[in-house]
């Protein structure tokens, strides 16, 4: 048996969850960059500002299938007395007109076609009639066209050189459309942070193993790895380790050599085999009080080893060799909440997200059922969210204990129950942290 000497295992100062998250974010700097083909850039984050490489639209463009005209020529047009204009040609999208539109003439034009010189309006086909006069094609325009009508002016949407998206922007399909428009065949994005995942606990079996008495299958590894991937990271699942301090220390060394963030689960409380707590304490515990959001990655230090939150109070974090080590609690519920507060924000920050957007997003909802339990620490209660008559409701889920998993897959959010309270009555307005879909 490995003894953790002395009473220091109980000597832990709880930091508030927001402060703990900021300590982690202060140590998680935007990281490596790489260039990827545009078609692979969805879900990645821009590493540098993108800007418009030309005016958009780049030329005066017809918004309809119709006739390009001089609006002045149609000023008196009515259905009874249409303007009669000689048709001097046609222009399809992708073509350039071979003639200008001079007074008394019109040019047939298709949607997306470049408006010919001289024309300042497009009349839709439905408002025109084609005929022949003296063997020449003419078009009758039955209504006055306003100047600029149905024409997208060059630069009306974007000016050449104007900023499109800032570094850190999460690229969604619409962003890709604009990047394509402006010729970004390759895009500079932040590299996916590499997140090593290591589960500690002698009781843990691989997923494929049959259960033996006293053992359970490792469910945290796969959950944490999936959450990391969902946040834009590349997960490196490193498997399970028994509660052996030397073996875990060696595994951490190896993980630090290949990852940007090392996430462990289990072994952070006060038990005899909670070796992660001892290992974390070993990282310059005397610096704990000095740790601040401005600390650099230069020196190894413990960021915190207790958080004023339930679940997840023993969650710990340290900076080691310039990398973040986040030791999540083994209880699956605590592991899940600890990831949302510390690991996901760190992953987002390393991909250039601003600190405020890296933190969990909060909304306000009406609490459907009373939450009776008071707590010296803030609580995060798994909840379903739904909208009724335009109002967001939080319906707390059963089986929400830290050790329980049943409600994790159903949770849309985490209700934030303030500390020190004796709970909250039904109907209270509560803050809810949104979870990823
Ligand atoms: N005397 C005290 N005991 C406990 C305290 C305390 O303050 N005083 N804190 C409790 C709280 S709160 C939590 S949370 C847990 C934290 O436990 P650890 O982080 O040390 O985790 P373990 O002891 O290794 O395991 C706890 C629990 O979770 C199961 N587990 C662990 N790893 C996995 C995994 N990969 N997949 C699924 N389940 C896992 C493990 O079997 C245990 O049942 O401590 C309380 N105790
Ligand atoms: O703080 Mo422990 O995480 O659930 O019960
Ligand atoms: Mg334990």
């Amino acid at each position: 048996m490995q003894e953790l000497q002395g009473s220091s295992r109980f000597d832990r100062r709880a930091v508030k969850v927001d402060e703990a998250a900021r300590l982690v974010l202060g140590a998680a700097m935007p990281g490596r960059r790489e260039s990827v083909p545009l078609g692979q850039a969805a879900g990645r984050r821009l590493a540098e500002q993108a800007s418009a490489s030309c005016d958009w639209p780049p030329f005066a463009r017809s918004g309809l299938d119709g006739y390009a005209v001089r609006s002045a020529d149609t000023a008196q047009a009515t259905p009874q007395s249409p303007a009669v204009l000689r048709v001097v040609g046609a222009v399809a999208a992708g073509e350039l007109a071979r003639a200008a539109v001079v007074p008394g003439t019109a040019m047939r034009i298709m949607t997306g076609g470049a408006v010919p010189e001289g024309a300042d309006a497009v009349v839709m086909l439905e408002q025109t009639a084609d005929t022949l006069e003296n063997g020449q094609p003419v078009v009758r325009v039955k209504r006055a066209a306003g100047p600029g009508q149905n024409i997208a002016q060059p630069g009306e949407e974007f000016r050449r050189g104007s900023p499109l998206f800032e570094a850190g922007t999460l690229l969604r399909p619409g962003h890709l459309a604009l990047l394509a428009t402006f010729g970004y065949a390759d895009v500079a994005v932040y590299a996916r942070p590499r997140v090593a995942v290591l589960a500690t606990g002698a009781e843990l079996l691989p997923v494929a193993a049959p259960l033996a008495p006293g053992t359970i299958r490792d469910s945290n590894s796969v959950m944490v790895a999936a959450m990391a991937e969902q946040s834009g990271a590349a997960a490196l699942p490193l498997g399970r380790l028994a509660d052996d301090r030397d073996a875990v220390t060696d595994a951490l060394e190896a993980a630090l050599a290949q990852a940007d963030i090392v996430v462990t689960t289990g072994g952070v409380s006060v038990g005899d085999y909670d070796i992660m707590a001892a290992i974390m304490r070993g990282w310059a515990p005397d610096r704990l009080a000095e740790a601040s959001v401005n600390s650099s990655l230069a020196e190894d230090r413990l960021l915190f080893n207790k958080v004023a939150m339930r679940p997840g109070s023993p969650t710990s974090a340290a900076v080691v060799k310039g990398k973040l080590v986040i030791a999540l609690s083994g209880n699956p519920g605590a592991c899940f909440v600890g990831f949302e507060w510390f690991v996901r924000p760190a992953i987002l920050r390393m991909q250039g997200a601003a600190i405020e957007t890296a933190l969990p997003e909060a909304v306000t909802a009406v609490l459907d059922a009373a939450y009776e339990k008071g707590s010296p620490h803030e609580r995060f209660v798994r909840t379903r969210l739904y909208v009724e008559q335009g109002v967001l409701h939080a319906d707390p889920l059963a089986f929400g204990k830290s050790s329980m998993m049943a409600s994790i897959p159903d949770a849309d959010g985490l209700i934030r129950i303030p500390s020190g309270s004796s709970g909250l009555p039904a109907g209270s307005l509560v803050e809810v942290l949104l979870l990823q879909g």
Side-chain angles (χ1 to χ4, degrees):
M1 183 177 119
Q2 297 183 39
E3 268 302 325
L4 304 178
Q5 295 299 321
S7 61
S8 58
R9 74 167 106 164
F10 304 113
D11 183 20
R12 292 159 73 155
R13 181 177 75 88
V15 295
K16 293 225 179 305
V17 61
D18 303 87
E19 184 194 339
R22 282 177 188 277
L23 286 168
V24 168
L25 284 171
M29 299 299 170
R32 292 166 293 115
R33 297 149 175 237
E34 63 189 10
S35 174
V36 295
L38 181 60
Q40 292 167 25
R44 305 294 297 272
R45 286 182 185 259
L46 269 187
E48 54 194 39
Q49 188 189 63
S51 52
S53 54
C54 60
D55 281 355
W56 196 262
F59 52 88
R61 201 162 55 143
S62 176
L64 292 171
D65 302 315
Y67 280 93
V69 300
R70 299 171 75 97
S71 58
D73 284 351
T74 67
Q76 311 302 324
T78 64
Q80 293 74 36
S81 170
V84 181
L85 303 171
R86 191 161 54 84
V87 178
V88 292
V91 55
E95 289 179 354
L96 287 181
R98 273 180 235 112
V101 172
V102 297
T105 69
M107 186 165 304
R108 204 168 162 87
I109 190 165
M110 298 302 119
T111 307
V115 176
E117 211 186 307
D120 70 342
V122 170
V123 182
M124 65 198 298
L125 279 183
E126 293 86 330
Q127 293 172 359
T128 65
D130 300 326
T131 52
L132 287 176
E133 242 172 48
N134 305 325
Q136 296 289 315
V138 297
V139 61
R140 289 168 195 275
V141 176
K142 299 171 201 160
R143 266 212 247 150
Q149 170 185 300
N150 299 324
I151 297 177
Q153 299 298 342
E156 76 172 22
E157 215 177 328
F158 295 98
R159 284 283 176 201
R160 180 192 161 97
S162 62
L164 291 173
F165 314 123
E166 297 305 318
T169 301
L170 174 65
L171 296 176
R172 298 193 298 235
H175 297 97
L176 300 198
L178 283 169
L179 293 172
T181 292
F182 292 110
Y184 285 83
D186 297 294
V187 192
V189 295
Y190 284 102
R192 295 184 188 281
R194 295 161 304 189
V195 176
V197 183
L198 192 62
T200 69
E203 75 280 28
L204 301 176
L205 297 172
V207 174
L211 286 183
T215 64
I216 58 170
R217 298 188 182 98
D218 168 20
S219 59
N220 286 344
S221 286
V222 72
M223 178 175 74
V224 168
M227 291 172 92
E229 295 264 344
Q230 196 187 36
S231 313
L236 307 172
L238 299 182
R240 298 152 291 107
L241 281 176
D243 309 294
D244 178 287
R245 185 168 175 171
D246 292 338
V248 172
T249 303
D250 289 348
L252 284 171
E253 295 274 347
L256 284 165
Q258 50 179 319
D260 301 301
I261 304 176
V262 178
V263 180
T264 66
T265 79
V268 280
S269 189
V270 296
D272 292 340
Y273 300 93
D274 285 340
I275 45 100
M276 274 311 297
I279 292 172
M280 298 298 277
R281 215 166 31 240
W283 278 312
D286 50 311
R287 307 196 81 94
L288 175 58
E290 298 162 30
S292 83
V293 286
N294 296 320
S295 298
S296 75
L297 288 170
E299 59 208 16
D300 291 2
R301 65 189 186 281
L302 183 66
L303 296 174
F304 52 82
N305 63 359
K306 189 166 183 175
V307 186
M309 70 191 284
R310 298 297 298 271
S313 52
T315 307
S316 306
V319 173
V320 184
K321 297 183 176 160
K323 310 282 179 71
L324 264 172
V325 177
I326 302 177
L328 300 176
S329 165
N331 269 328
C335 176
F336 181 74
V337 172
F339 186 100
E340 288 296 324
W341 265 108
F342 309 117
V343 187
R344 190 189 303 283
I347 293 172
L348 298 183
R349 181 72 183 134
M350 285 183 177
Q351 296 169 92
I355 287 184
E356 292 315 316
T357 55
L359 288 167
E361 187 184 351
V363 294
T364 303
V366 175
L367 183 63
D368 272 4
Y371 192 86
E372 316 253 293
K373 232 186 307 181
S375 165
H377 294 330
E378 280 188 278
R379 263 181 203 283
F380 295 96
V381 176
R382 287 165 241 161
T383 188
R384 192 173 72 85
L385 289 173
Y386 67 97
V387 176
E388 194 173 79
Q389 293 179 337
V391 176
L392 187 66
H393 287 257
D395 180 18
L397 291 157
F399 300 103
K401 280 190 190 164
S402 177
S403 56
M404 292 176 165
M405 277 173 274
S407 60
I408 297 179
D410 296 330
D412 302 313
L414 298 168
I415 304 169
R416 189 169 194 169
I417 308 279
S419 62
S421 69
S422 50
L424 291 172
S428 305
L429 282 183
V430 286
E431 186 179 323
V432 181
L433 307 181
L434 294 179
L435 297 170
Q436 298 280 304

